Amino acid sequence: MADDKAAYKLGDEVHAWTDLQKSGAASNPAVQPMPGEIADKVYDRYLKTFDYPIPQTFDRESFVGGSSGGSGGQ
């Protein structure tokens, strides 16, 4: 077996990617603003999330069947 220093540790790649993201070293220096119409739609969608209360519990079955939100494809 390889020594401990050369051994792969679970999560090393994730930490490397998140460190890169935090540092901004690979970020695009060009400013890319969001067009006003799109920003308005994004904000409207965000506001709609407050129209419904957050349930105290979630029924596991409501997550089965992909993104259809139905009765599991039945």
Side-chain angles (χ1 to χ4, degrees), residues 58-71:
F58 291 95
D59 181 16
R60 184 191 184 305
E61 296 301 316
S62 67
F63 295 102
V64 176
S67 62
S68 65
S71 59

Side-chain angles (χ1 to χ4, degrees), residues 1-31:
M1 284 257 158
D3 61 36
D4 289 337
K5 291 181 182 177
Y8 174 77
K9 293 182 182 176
L10 184 62
D12 285 349
E13 290 183 32
V14 173
H15 288 292
W17 279 108
T18 55
D19 289 344
L20 179 63
Q21 185 178 17
K22 286 190 293 186
S23 74
S27 65
N28 185 347
V31 176

Side-chain angles (χ1 to χ4, degrees), residues 37-53:
E37 181 181 333
I38 295 173
D40 290 342
K41 288 182 180 183
V42 169
Y43 188 69
D44 288 342
R45 183 173 179 172
Y46 163 72
L47 290 177
K48 286 180 184 178
T49 65
F50 295 102
D51 288 348
Y52 305 97

